[in-house]
Amino acid sequence: MTPVITAYALSPDRGRGLARDMRVRWALEEAGLRYDVRPLSFDERHREARLAGNPFGQIPTYEEGDLVLFESGAIILHIAQQQTSQEHGLLPTEPKARARATAWMFAALNTVEPVILERQTARLLEGGESWAQQRLALIDERIRKRLAELARHLGDAEWLDGGFSAGDLLVVSVLRWLTASGSTLVDEQPNLAAYVARGEARPAFQRAFAAQLALYKASASPEGK
Ligand SMILES: N[C@@H](CCC(=O)N[C@@H](CS)C(=O)NCC(=O)O)C(=O)O
């Protein structure tokens, strides 16, 4: 059964692969699974996403028969658990390694992403406030601390814990909020910058990126409207 995910037809990131359908597409590509996309209009996003099964009116959702999921982390965990071969593995099969890879999934979403998203909010929604620069400086210091901790753990390794896993997929995805929006915070940690580049160089990432960009371009062109 081919799963269907939702994504914005005209994503506000203009095809930079920052919307959270990108990480789900990437996981599906890594898992070697075909999928279809139901594009939602950004203006009607809340109504359409709620109809598609997200109580918070957000993308992505994931439909597989009568199973409807929301939350990118839960969707990726579900995809990773479907793996049938090591070739397309997103989680190791050895139980302890699998538990550690799952911990990295949570770390990405619960420990690394929140402070990075605070920066997005400060820039995009609070940028005009008199205190905006002061707040941004404080947030950047908090991000620097997190990135230094992550860089220390990664060291010279290729991935965070053995082979590439769904944990790496999510950590790279959240670091891209910074790298793909012009921030140099990740570059301050050269091993992390190389880690993000390694993730982006994976053929599965490239296919997912191209697909979301193609949707954006088709929707942005006069014929696509
Ligand atoms: N925690 C959710 C966040 C989903 C989310 O924030 N999606 C954004 C797009 S990347 C969205 O639909 N925002 C529209 C809104 O909240 O109005 C997840 O990881 O799936």
Side-chain angles (χ1 to χ4, degrees), residues 8 19-20 45-46 58-60 71-72:
Y8 292 133
R20 290 173 179 83
R45 61 190 182 281
H46 294 131
Q58 297 176 323
I59 63 109
E71 284 298 330
S72 57

Side-chain angles (χ1 to χ4, degrees), residues 30-193:
E30 292 282 354
L33 297 172
R34 290 175 177 281
Y35 64 98
D36 290 329
V37 177
R38 177 135 44 89
L40 306 188
S41 88
F42 190 72
D43 292 341
E44 288 212 70
R45 61 190 182 281
H46 294 131
R47 190 181 65 82
E48 292 185 21
R50 220 167 273 122
L51 284 176
N54 187 321
F56 303 110
Q58 297 176 323
I59 63 109
T61 57
Y62 173 98
E63 294 163 33
E64 186 192 303
D66 61 1
L67 172 68
V68 180
L69 289 175
F70 59 97
E71 284 298 330
S72 57
I75 296 169
I76 292 169
L77 186 58
H78 173 73
I79 294 166
Q81 286 168 339
Q82 308 305 302
Q83 74 185 68
T84 49
S85 75
Q86 274 304 298
E87 188 199 345
H88 294 301
L90 275 168
L91 284 175
T93 47
E94 194 280 312
K96 287 182 184 164
R98 194 174 180 94
R100 287 196 303 272
T102 313
W104 276 113
M105 295 180 71
F106 279 83
L109 300 177
N110 219 19
T111 302
V112 185
E113 188 165 47
V115 67
I116 294 177
L117 286 182
E118 247 187 273
R119 187 175 199 273
Q120 296 293 101
T121 308
R123 281 177 56 236
L124 303 177
L125 303 181
E126 301 164 354
E129 303 292 342
S130 55
W131 38 261
Q133 285 313 312
Q134 232 174 331
R135 176 160 155 70
L136 206 52
L138 288 173
I139 294 173
D140 280 359
E141 273 320 297
R142 295 219 293 277
I143 295 178
R144 276 197 180 90
K145 179 173 178 295
R146 275 286 174 271
L147 297 187
E149 290 160 341
L150 196 55
R152 196 177 316 126
H153 174 88
L154 181 67
D156 294 335
E158 200 177 4
W159 306 113
L160 288 163
D161 193 308
F164 178 82
S165 77
D168 294 295
L169 185 151
L170 280 170
V171 172
V172 169
S173 296
V174 305
L175 295 181
R176 289 192 72 252
W177 284 116
L178 296 168
T179 56
S181 56
S183 160
T184 54
L185 284 165
V186 172
D187 295 328
E188 292 175 14
Q189 303 289 345
N191 65 336
L192 276 192

